[in-house]
Amino acid sequence: MPILVMKFGGTSVANLDRIRRVAKRIGVEVAKGYDVIVIVSAMSGKTNELVGWVDEISPLYDAREYDAVVSSGENVTAGLMALTLQEMDVPARSWQGWQVPVRTTSAHSAARIEEIPTDNIRAKFAEGMKVAVVAGFQGISPEGRITTLGRGGSDTTAVAFAAAFGAERCDIYTDVDGVYTTDPRISPKARKLERIAFEEMLELASLGAKVLQTRSVELAMRNKVKLRVLSSFEEQSDEAGTLVCDEEEIMESNIVSGVAYSRDEAKMTLVSVADRPGIASIIFGALSDAGVNVDMIVQNISEEGRTDMTFSLPTDQVKRAEKALAETHEAGNLNYRELLTDLDVAKVSVVGIGMRSQSGVAARMFRVLCDEGINIKVITTSEIKISVLIDRKYMELAVQALHDAFELDKLT
Amino acid sequence: MPILVMKFGGTSVANLDRIRRVAKRIGVEVAKGYDVIVIVSAMSGKTNELVGWVDEISPLYDAREYDAVVSSGENVTAGLMALTLQEMDVPARSWQGWQVPVRTTSAHSAARIEEIPTDNIRAKFAEGMKVAVVAGFQGISPEGRITTLGRGGSDTTAVAFAAAFGAERCDIYTDVDGVYTTDPRISPKARKLERIAFEEMLELASLGAKVLQTRSVELAMRNKVKLRVLSSFEEQSDEAGTLVCDEEEIMESNIVSGVAYSRDEAKMTLVSVADRPGIASIIFGALSDAGVNVDMIVQNISEEGRTDMTFSLPTDQVKRAEKALAETHEAGNLNYRELLTDLDVAKVSVVGIGMRSQSGVAARMFRVLCDEGINIKVITTSEIKISVLIDRKYMELAVQALHDAFELDKLT
């Protein structure tokens, strides 16, 4: 029998009615002849309740105990889903992470899956079981302790099972019905993509389009797992949602597939630092040691042996960055005149596989922003992405203008 | 280091404040030099929520999935308790049933503990860990599935750990501060017992004094585990609560240690059945097949080859019993004139090890009831217990009168 992996997030299993609806959807795939592996999240709200308790007990908690506590929500859903399927006469049983076992590293709360033995579940399929319901987000460390994979980790669980079992496809059911050319809340012209390449999805995921956990996309790309994103709140055909797949499977690539944005960006500028070899290493070494994830970096033209260094970072890491740089300054290792922090910025990016073979995308993007009177503060590019940092108040305008300019509302 | 087992029920760990209070109590025992094994229940209300969901999905649920779902509440408490202890600088970690592993039979929802290997936890004690927090009520079957031990199963978990580790004592913290000569809500003269023999506790537990799960008392008796029942809501000394122990450890046994009662009793009478060999076997065979737990049985004097058969049973099994007897009647195997059911009865019992060597207890009990004008409907006795079935309206009066007559308010 071909194997299908289906993953359902917290809102899709928020209560017994929704669990029943999801079970019916699973039944449809079973009727098509699939052996189905279902990955479930905790009922929405449950994980937050558990995390809240742990935070209240101790801000510096033992991550091993945190994992033991927060993993329990997925176990409950897995059991309830198996019971619901059985009630519909679909042979099903639940597995907790340690029962499979989903072997992970010991990096508690951010563990990586290392191995998923398939014998156990395959044997049950051979005996006539049709659905294996697996608690997502969790695994077991080499020491036999429960681990979790970090927020959104159930996506990664799903892709890892699809890879281990050679599944025909991995369907990620969520509260949106696919991947869009941009956020429909910002541009009403946003269009759902039928297909998107792994590389594009990776850029979109890391840019804040929170449809899939970045790691799950990496894993799918590496293992050539066909990923489909679709809504658990709508009737679904085989063609529903968005398929995330290899570039080759997309007939005609768009030059630009999507416009992404992120509000949670800040810009910092070190004014007048010495322009000498090693200065960047001192600055970004100190930031790295402090656990700051620097994104974009710009070094201004040097004047009289001094320069300005500008970089962007997540808003919630600003305090940490300021502290690290001030300490380096006071230790005499870094002499700057001023440290400026700008919280009123946003990042807007255009992403598209087609950029590789098509030049002029950057120039076109800059012209569009210029025509709207939007000043660009920082620029970075990758092979398939161009990102700019702009004033936050222009973010929506920039997204809409770029979406229009690249004609993303039209099918290619 | 001597080992102490401490068990905390659902109301004792109902929220983070109570968990903190319990953690402090554990810290006191650690400071005395004990290595402590803590058995925790789910936060009160949690298990009921989970059971409610399962019942709503399916009245005829798969007990394996039921166990996987309902065991999760204990896992949460175990992690939260370990975190709270760590926050107080007490080295602690949590264990779920399968991690120990607590090996049980495969009788899901009513599993029995078969083995508890101690190496794993002992090794951690040797490394300096002071408290092992273990999720109660659960274990793992030979098939690797999660099992639960039935309601109140955490008491049994605690006693089983105390037996396996050769603990100095097993302290059961609950919402009452010990075992009383009778229910203080019925007789204000009820006195807390300092000690009670296992056999007496067994009779009291099975008679409805819901302080300890019956199986946990049996297990403690068989393994000579010293059990102490005490309140988690009061400051405690070493002498607090009630010690459940071997008869030999009680200096001077009371003739009667306690007066117990049960409201959940019904009386059924089969009027005019044939008085011939095998008739009892037909009646009680049919009831047993229907899963009815018959308690007391009385057969009246035979007249003209016919007799009346009276027995008592739990109120909630009356419907089942009536059906079973009517079916046997209709099948022609049992010919009775009438089937009478009396729901307005209660059972009152006096329990005491001293009865073994002291005669006249029954006579005294009957005289006391007679003096109060209370009619006795059925009598049963064991070596250390005399029970009577009476009209329910006289229950409180009977308990108070017997408590007074046997001078249970006075220390011996």
Side-chain angles (χ1 to χ4, degrees), chain A residues 4-7 25 29 32 34 155 158-159 162 168-174 176-179 192-196 198 201 211-212 220 225-231 235-245:
Chain A
L4 183 70
V5 173
M6 304 172 78
K7 181 258 169 180
R25 185 77 202 91
E29 300 294 351
K32 285 182 197 161
Y34 285 110
D155 290 342
V159 173
E168 197 171 293
R169 206 174 59 237
C170 179
D171 286 350
I172 308 282
Y173 285 81
T174 175
V176 297
D177 67 347
V179 180
K192 199 188 76 191
L193 293 160
E194 276 179 31
R195 294 183 177 222
I196 187 168
F198 286 124
M201 191 65 224
V211 178
L212 288 172
V225 170
K226 269 191 204 172
L227 257 183
R228 195 165 63 138
V229 176
L230 66 178
S231 167
E235 290 299 315
Q236 296 298 0
S237 70
D238 272 1
E239 299 304 309
T242 299
L243 192 70
V244 190
C245 58

Side-chain angles (χ1 to χ4, degrees), chain A residues 58 62 65 86-87 94 144, chain B residues 58 62 65 86-87 94 99:
Chain A
S58 169
D62 177 347
E65 298 298 344
Q86 290 175 358
E87 187 66 11
S94 71
Chain B
S58 169
D62 177 347
E65 299 298 344
Q86 290 175 359
E87 187 65 13
S94 71
Q99 289 177 312

Side-chain angles (χ1 to χ4, degrees), chain A residues 3-9 12-13 19 22-30 34-41 74 77-82 85 90-96 100 121 125 129-137 154 157-159 161-162 165 167 169-173:
Chain A
I3 286 179
L4 183 70
V5 173
M6 304 172 78
K7 181 258 169 180
F8 297 92
S12 311
V13 294
I19 287 175
V22 162
K24 271 184 209 151
R25 185 77 202 91
I26 296 166
V28 169
E29 300 294 351
V30 170
Y34 285 110
D35 281 344
V36 179
I37 298 172
V38 173
I39 312 292
V40 289
S41 300
E74 279 72 13
T77 319
L80 296 179
M81 184 67 78
L85 286 161
V90 177
R93 75 156 269 199
S94 71
W95 268 269
Q96 301 186 0
V100 175
I121 290 176
F125 279 138
M129 181 193 67
K130 301 306 297 175
V131 182
V133 186
V134 178
F137 174 62
S154 292
T157 305
V159 173
F161 271 82
F165 282 83
R169 206 174 59 237
C170 179
D171 286 350
I172 308 282
Y173 285 81

Side-chain angles (χ1 to χ4, degrees), chain B residues 276-294:
Chain B
R276 56 173 166 83
I279 192 73
S281 151
I282 288 171
I283 295 170
F284 298 106
L287 291 171
S288 164
D289 290 347
V292 174
N293 299 309
V294 170

Side-chain angles (χ1 to χ4, degrees), chain A residues 174-195:
Chain A
T174 175
D175 43 10
V176 297
D177 67 347
V179 180
Y180 276 73
T181 50
T182 196
D183 186 338
R185 288 169 301 180
I186 290 190
S187 172
K189 294 184 198 161
R191 182 174 52 82
K192 199 188 76 191
L193 293 160
E194 276 179 31
R195 294 183 177 222

Side-chain angles (χ1 to χ4, degrees), chain A residues 38-67:
Chain A
V38 173
I39 312 292
V40 289
S41 300
M43 295 159 92
S44 60
K46 286 291 164 189
T47 302
N48 286 342
E49 181 184 47
L50 297 169
V51 170
W53 284 337
V54 172
D55 283 341
E56 192 181 330
I57 290 171
S58 169
L60 297 166
Y61 50 73
D62 177 347
R64 296 166 298 190
E65 298 298 344
Y66 170 95
D67 284 356

Side-chain angles (χ1 to χ4, degrees), chain A residues 335-348:
Chain A
N335 192 14
Y336 56 78
R337 201 169 65 219
E338 211 176 348
L339 177 56
L340 303 173
T341 302
D342 184 356
L343 294 171
D344 286 325
V345 292
K347 183 164 68 171
V348 173

